[in-house]
Amino acid sequence: MTTLLDGIEQSFVETERLRASVLRHTPAEGGDAAPVVLIHGNVSSSLFWQPLMLALPRPTIAIDLRGFGDSETLPVDATRGMRDFSDDVASVMDALGVSGAHVAGWSMGGGVVMQLLLDRPELVRSLTLQAPLPPQGFGTRLDGSLCTPDAAGTGGGGANADFVARLAAGDTSADEPTSPRSVYRSSYVAPGFADEHEDLWVESMLSTKTGVGNYPGDGVASDSWPGFAAGDHGILNAMSAKHLDLTGIVDVASKPAILWIRGAHDAIVGDESFFDFHTLGKHGVVPGWPGEEAAPPQQMVAQTRAVLEAYAAAGGAYEEVVFENAGHSPHLEDPTRFATLLEAHAAAADPTQVE
């Protein structure tokens, strides 16, 4: 199977941090415009961006994060939150001589690009967040406060062991609900969505490197329900509120305009997502739930909106766009509409050309 669609080129970039795989597309016209840099989410890779890359009228660069796709497999220090990833992205952009780019992040990648804005704002001309993780990290109440001091119910201990095993084994079947293909169909896209590239999307998922240092990471015991909390290594722990807080974007001095795109049928990032242990407890899937006051389902969308409202109140600007027929992957489910929105967002942030 060919993993690259016609028009997409792959190269490798050596930086002081890692050897990164990069996909690029330069359209026949518009090649001099500021590029869009695309950062994928968890259990995926840059391959997922290809339809959008081909639809955009300006150069695009999609980077594989460490431990995904064809980039070098390096451990993730969860105590740094998204910084191992965002520092890698910055090093690739520096090596390519790219600055002032239009940066877009999907899901976990949304957290990566928010961290990039915090640490290297000069790299970000505009920001696009697609179904981003909540800026407060996982394991928090609506106001962003931790539900328990150790963020119980988050991190590597919450991963489905059979799904992890099937990722490691390269399972391409749809025989069980925990197979990557079944998870893609049930959670990455809205019910009924199908395209001719499903095998490619599954291949992208299977590029995820598994283990304590990567996906899902480790877990530790907790005295709080459901009995485990975030460890200090690996991807799921890096997204836990024990280690992650991106709400500082409200206070950045230079505030690029933010475009926030989400699908109405997102099964992963939502205000009562079944990827959240508190939601599983509330609905009886995990026994012993201590109740709404102690373990409320995380209001992921509401939390993102609250932070972006504060960002706007502090002098920034954002737009929220909901794809009514999409799930977790609007860029895949409707790449033409996504490209139109992203291009308009980017063009508005580009310097005015003076004749």
Side-chain angles (χ1 to χ4, degrees), residues 322-340:
V322 180
F323 281 41
E324 294 295 340
N325 297 316
H328 190 58
S329 314
H331 76 288
L332 193 68
E333 297 165 88
D334 193 346
T336 300
R337 182 186 177 197
F338 196 107
T340 299

Side-chain angles (χ1 to χ4, degrees), residues 64-308:
D64 281 340
L65 299 173
R66 61 171 60 196
F68 295 97
D70 291 325
S71 282
E72 188 176 358
T73 301
L74 296 171
V76 175
D77 179 356
T79 67
R80 304 188 73 230
M82 293 289 100
R83 278 196 169 95
D84 271 359
F85 292 131
S86 62
D87 286 350
D88 290 347
V89 169
S91 75
V92 173
M93 293 178 70
D94 288 343
L96 293 174
V98 173
S99 184
H102 303 287
V103 182
W106 172 33
S107 196
M108 181 185 78
V112 175
V113 300
M114 282 188 270
Q115 189 66 63
L116 187 70
L117 174 61
L118 284 168
D119 294 340
R120 294 289 305 277
E122 77 280 4
L123 297 179
V124 183
R125 180 171 296 176
S126 75
L127 194 65
T128 299
L129 305 174
Q130 178 185 222
L133 59 79
Q136 297 85 348
F138 290 109
T140 60
R141 304 176 186 279
L142 181 57
D143 65 3
S145 61
L146 282 164
C147 295
T148 65
D150 60 356
T154 69
N160 184 292
D162 192 58
F163 175 64
V164 176
R166 289 174 182 273
L167 275 180
D171 180 10
T172 62
S173 75
D175 297 338
E176 298 293 337
T178 51
S179 75
R181 189 180 299 272
S182 296
V183 171
Y184 163 79
R185 291 175 179 175
S186 67
S187 304
Y188 280 45
V189 294
F193 175 81
D195 69 10
E196 71 273 25
H197 299 302
E198 182 177 280
D199 287 347
L200 180 54
W201 313 143
V202 174
E203 178 179 338
S204 176
M205 295 173 70
L206 292 173
S207 76
T208 304
K209 308 307 186 294
T210 59
V212 169
N214 297 104
Y215 182 81
D218 62 343
V220 298
S222 175
D223 292 332
S224 299
W225 182 90
F228 68 89
D232 292 339
H233 308 280
I235 291 162
L236 294 188
N237 298 305
M239 292 188 278
S240 168
K242 176 182 176 183
H243 302 303
L244 183 66
D245 181 1
L246 300 166
T247 59
I249 63 169
V250 170
D251 300 318
V252 294
S254 178
K255 292 182 170 64
I258 295 177
L259 174 62
W260 173 27
I261 297 177
R262 62 184 183 87
H265 303 283
D266 193 335
I268 296 175
V269 174
D271 282 348
E272 199 160 310
S273 167
F274 276 84
F275 281 71
D276 173 19
F277 259 77
H278 291 184
T279 300
L280 295 175
K282 178 178 179 177
H283 291 272
V285 179
V286 177
W289 183 58
E292 196 89 29
E293 183 175 348
Q298 186 158 355
Q299 305 294 293
M300 303 177 195
V301 172
Q303 285 182 318
T304 295
R305 187 178 297 115
V307 169
L308 295 183

